[in-house]
Amino acid sequence: MSKMRVISVQLPQGLINAMDQLVRKGVYPNRSEVIREAIRELLKKELYQLETEERSTPDYIMK
């Protein structure tokens, strides 16, 4: 895994409570992993949508 950097974000208490619930239930080991997974999924979705709209071949598909 690449070196991680620390960033600061502000979240509504409701999102924090929901993350804590996932951690308590053992779905994720900690809040950071919840946030990382959510960001990964958002980026995949958004980048795929942009690539589809541009009708280009995504970089991850070999030509």
Side-chain angles (χ1 to χ4, degrees):
M1 187 181 294
S2 62
K3 183 178 177 187
M4 303 246 187
R5 296 193 52 194
V6 175
I7 64 168
S8 176
V9 297
Q10 294 183 352
L11 298 171
Q13 188 62 48
L15 289 179
I16 295 169
N17 294 344
M19 288 190 304
D20 288 345
Q21 185 175 7
L22 290 171
V23 172
R24 275 194 309 277
K25 291 181 181 236
V27 177
Y28 293 95
N30 53 54
R31 288 176 177 173
S32 291
E33 192 55 38
V34 175
I35 294 168
R36 280 192 289 271
E37 179 66 18
I39 291 171
R40 280 192 291 267
E41 290 301 314
L42 174 70
L43 291 174
K44 280 195 308 192
K45 179 184 140 208
E46 293 292 329
L47 290 171
Y48 179 79
Q49 185 176 2
L50 283 173
E51 290 168 346
T52 301
E53 288 172 1
E54 294 171 354
R55 297 195 182 271
S56 64
T57 303
D59 291 339
Y60 53 83
I61 296 179
M62 303 198 88
K63 295 179 183 178

